[in-house]
Amino acid sequence: MLDIYVLYDYYVGMYIATIPNRTSPPAILIRESYRYHGKVKSRTIANISNWDPARIEALRRALRGDFDHLAGADPTVGPTFGLLYVLRRFAEELGITAALGRSRLGKLALFLVLVRLAHQGSRLSAVRWAQDHAVAEVLGLRPFDDDDLYAALDDLCARQEKIERALYQRYLRGRSAPPALFLYDVTSSYLEGKHNALGEYGYNRDGKRGKLQIVIGLLTDSEGEPLAVRVFTGNTADPVTVADQIKLVKEQFGVAELVFVGDRGMVKSKGEQALKDADLRYITALTDPQIRRLLAEGTLQLGLFHKKVCEVEADGVRYLLRKNESEAAREKHRLQDKLAKLVGKIERRNQQVEASARCQPEAGFRQLQAWIARHKLTGLVEFRLQARVLTLVKNEAAILRALELAGCYVVISDVPKDHMSGQEVHDSYVGLQKVEHDFRSMKTGLLQVRPVFVRKKSRTRGHVFACMLAMKISREMGRRLKAAFGTTDSDPHAITLPDALEALDRLCLLHYPIDADTTVTRLPRPDGRQQEILAALGVALPEK
């Protein structure tokens, strides 16, 4: 006989039953009641004994109809979730989370790393930013203030070498052999205040005269992957920092044989001697005065500078000569542009003197002399003042001499030929552009090392270290976005890293009110653009 039954109201006919189970915990079952031949019977739909008690109680109340009055209720917007979650996933994938540790200070340090990508500013502004983001849900952090973040910076500085070693060991696990070539470059970052413990006056690459600065040295592999960073006082000369990096590579990373690649002027007498003492090889470039001295001595000849790399060997040192024609054209255009501006200034000054008898031509003479010195035209041009009229005299021979090395550069190395070819040596030096790109990202781009809102040495170093760790995340995210969407050079609508961060920052948690004391939190559904970005990054939002 075929059993036929009719369900009455769906919710009235379903309920949760608690069944005693002797000495074991009771079984929690979802049951359904129905009529059969006029009799009320029940059957089990599912066993939910392993559910969380709060979830079971919520379902029990829903089946009773306690929430019927909330059908169609609008949710409230909770904290932003998507951006911090994706950044944390990358930190885990790159080993940064494990290296920082699971302690409260480790979680605070992780927050400082992630917030460099999501929001640049002081520690106090980071605390305010955290109030609108799901820091507790994503990072498991209880409420904190700026003093907690300062303590995390101190801890980052104290554990920096240990963290760098842990990340380096993880880096090695993905490679067949340790890197044999390390790129190293130095930059400076100016300070707005006067009380930073590392702040000193020195050669300022940012052109900010009269401002204290710090010096930052960044060590990477041949592909530009950041491995370590160090902060020096603002008056530290570039070659002096080389010895510190050699010690770092040999002692901290345990690398016995390597080639050190540094920017021009980096491996001078002190740096070169430090490398020789450590039995290490180097690749660097000559400064303009050094090239002219070798030309005068006859070691090098102007005719050897071509589009293709030309190699000269002398006294056990290899010189790789090359001329960049496009850079030579740019330098020539820049000089011509300066001279044209100078002619215009002279004409305007002469017109002003002619129009006013009270106008003193000597004052204009001094102003233009200062302009020449500021734009490095001294020796190329000179002024003559005759009868209140300024005239410009160009030194054509000096101008030709200034342009004869335009676009020319010389890479120098002591790496034997059987270790690296001339082209490989040249390309290794050109690879320093990757470090320079990272410096631009750290200083003025996405990560913004400055302004430096700290004073103590430990906190300054901890701040720069956090920026370097954030750079590792940004590089990996940028690489995946580039692989999926290309670049703005080829497609003006390509999704860049800032675009992706902005889109993910719109993913907020949704809170559904249950009663005065209870809410249910749900994850949002990403829109089409956000889904594309998440797919490109290889990150899926959690189901709960």
Side-chain angles (χ1 to χ4, degrees):
M1 180 178 179
L2 182 64
D3 288 344
I4 300 176
Y5 62 91
V6 179
L7 284 178
Y8 291 101
D9 189 290
Y10 180 78
Y11 291 106
V12 173
M14 297 185 69
Y15 62 94
I16 293 178
T18 302
I19 309 300
N21 197 8
R22 297 185 180 178
T23 57
S24 300
I28 311 297
L29 307 176
I30 300 178
R31 285 190 164 179
E32 180 182 49
S33 63
Y34 62 95
R35 285 185 182 274
Y36 179 67
H37 292 309
K39 295 181 180 180
V40 177
K41 295 189 176 185
S42 64
R43 63 179 178 179
T44 300
I45 302 296
N47 187 330
I48 58 173
S49 302
N50 61 339
W51 280 24
D52 183 88
R55 190 180 180 193
I56 295 173
E57 181 59 26
L59 179 58
R60 191 193 306 275
R61 295 180 61 188
L63 294 176
R64 284 204 309 257
D66 291 355
F67 308 140
D68 290 353
H69 66 286
L70 295 173
D74 293 330
T76 58
V77 177
T80 300
F81 172 82
L83 177 57
L84 201 60
Y85 177 79
V86 170
L87 293 177
R88 192 208 72 185
R89 286 290 303 274
F90 271 87
E92 291 174 348
E93 185 176 334
L94 296 174
I96 295 174
T97 301
L100 294 177
R102 303 290 181 178
S103 66
R104 178 168 170 80
L105 281 176
K107 292 179 179 179
L108 288 169
L110 178 60
F111 170 78
L112 285 171
V113 173
L114 303 186
V115 82
R116 295 316 303 172
L117 280 161
H119 169 80
Q120 295 78 42
S122 66
R123 262 43 59 179
L124 181 58
S125 69
V127 172
R128 293 196 295 266
W129 180 88
Q131 295 172 358
D132 297 324
H133 289 74
V135 176
E137 293 85 347
V138 176
L139 302 181
L141 268 174
R142 300 188 305 275
F144 54 86
D145 56 23
D146 52 331
D147 288 334
D148 294 322
L149 296 182
Y150 285 131
L153 285 180
D154 291 333
D155 180 66
L156 260 181
C157 177
R159 297 193 297 131
Q160 180 174 350
E161 291 188 5
K162 180 180 178 181
I163 295 169
E164 287 175 342
R165 280 196 301 270
L167 291 174
Y168 182 72
Q169 292 303 317
R170 186 185 182 282
Y171 165 88
L172 291 180
R173 287 196 292 270
R175 287 159 176 78
S176 58
L181 189 139
F182 288 83
L183 307 180
Y184 177 65
D185 202 0
V186 169
T187 190
S188 58
S189 183
Y190 66 88
L191 307 172
E192 294 293 353
K194 299 290 185 182
H195 303 289
N196 188 284
L198 292 171
E200 294 287 351
Y201 294 106
Y203 171 60
N204 197 305
R205 297 161 181 80
D206 303 310
K208 296 289 184 178
R209 297 181 177 179
K211 288 186 179 295
L212 296 174
Q213 66 176 23
I214 56 175
V215 170
I216 302 171
L218 180 64
L219 185 75
T220 78
D221 70 357
S222 59
E223 298 301 318
E225 176 63 25
L227 300 176
V229 68
R230 291 293 180 269
V231 182
F232 306 92
T233 55
N235 57 358
T236 305
D238 293 359
V240 176
T241 69
V242 172
D244 189 86
Q245 299 306 312
I246 294 172
K247 179 180 178 182
L248 187 153
V249 172
K250 296 203 68 175
E251 298 182 7
Q252 183 170 314
F253 293 161
V255 179
E257 295 183 5
L258 63 93
V259 178
F260 189 86
V261 185
D263 201 359
R264 67 186 69 213
M266 186 80 65
V267 187
K268 289 187 176 179
S269 56
K270 290 184 179 180
E272 185 175 349
Q273 187 60 46
L275 288 162
K276 289 181 178 178
D277 293 342
D279 294 326
L280 303 180
R281 304 293 184 177
Y282 67 86
I283 298 174
T284 187
L286 298 179
T287 61
D288 190 77
Q290 289 174 321
I291 296 175
R292 293 189 181 279
R293 178 173 56 80
L294 290 174
L295 288 171
E297 294 173 354
T299 305
L300 306 178
Q301 291 83 38
L302 275 175
L304 297 178
F305 288 95
H306 296 291
K307 184 177 181 179
K308 292 185 178 181
V309 176
C310 177
E311 181 170 347
V312 175
E313 188 170 358
D315 300 326
V317 177
R318 300 168 65 188
Y319 300 95
L320 291 308
L321 290 68
R322 185 175 182 271
K323 183 171 184 177
N324 186 327
E325 295 293 349
S326 58
E327 179 61 26
R330 282 193 293 270
E331 289 189 31
K332 183 177 181 181
H333 175 74
R334 282 195 292 266
L335 179 57
Q336 291 173 343
D337 185 59
K338 289 179 183 179
L339 293 175
K341 288 182 179 179
L342 182 57
V343 170
K345 286 180 176 291
I346 293 173
E347 290 178 353
R348 289 192 294 274
R349 182 63 187 179
N350 286 334
Q351 292 172 1
Q352 185 179 356
V353 170
E354 184 180 1
S356 174
R358 300 179 61 184
C359 186
Q360 298 297 322
E362 291 80 5
F365 183 88
R366 290 191 295 270
Q367 292 174 359
L368 290 172
Q369 287 284 19
W371 192 91
I372 285 178
R374 187 164 63 251
H375 290 83
K376 300 179 180 180
L377 295 177
T378 303
L380 304 184
V381 296
E382 61 181 20
F383 294 122
R384 292 177 183 172
L385 179 59
Q386 297 176 339
R388 295 171 58 85
V389 176
L390 280 171
T391 56
L392 179 67
V393 179
K394 298 180 182 179
N395 188 335
E396 297 294 347
I399 292 175
L400 288 175
R401 177 175 170 79
L403 291 175
E404 67 182 1
L405 289 180
C408 297
Y409 58 94
V410 178
V411 177
I412 179 175
S413 175
D414 64 349
V415 178
K417 289 184 177 181
D418 57 350
H419 283 56
M420 297 179 74
S421 67
Q423 188 66 47
E424 288 174 333
V425 171
H426 169 270
D427 294 345
S428 298
Y429 177 78
V430 173
L432 275 177
Q433 294 177 357
K434 301 169 186 175
V435 188
E436 294 170 357
H437 177 269
D438 287 339
F439 270 141
R440 287 194 294 271
S441 297
M442 280 184 65
K443 291 173 63 176
T444 59
L446 191 63
L447 306 178
Q448 292 187 6
V449 163
R450 62 172 184 257
V452 180
F453 293 101
V454 289
R455 296 184 178 183
K456 295 183 178 180
K457 292 182 180 180
S458 60
R459 294 174 183 177
T460 304
R461 291 184 167 123
H463 167 69
V464 175
F465 184 43
C467 289
M468 190 208 82
L469 296 178
M471 186 195 304
K472 295 173 74 70
I473 297 175
S474 69
R475 281 174 55 87
E476 180 60 22
M477 293 181 70
R479 185 187 64 80
R480 296 188 187 183
L481 291 171
K482 181 180 178 180
F485 304 115
T487 66
T488 52
D489 293 334
S490 57
D491 179 6
H493 302 292
I495 297 177
T496 63
L497 180 54
D499 296 334
L501 297 178
E502 182 179 358
L504 295 173
D505 202 32
R506 293 187 282 105
L507 281 171
C508 300
L509 296 177
L510 301 177
H511 294 319
Y512 292 84
I514 301 302
D515 52 33
D517 301 321
T518 308
T519 60
V520 174
T521 300
R522 291 287 182 265
L523 296 176
R525 178 180 297 174
D527 60 28
R529 182 179 177 86
Q530 292 166 338
Q531 288 176 352
E532 285 184 337
I533 292 171
L534 289 170
L537 295 176
V539 176
L541 293 180
E543 296 182 358
K544 299 181 182 179

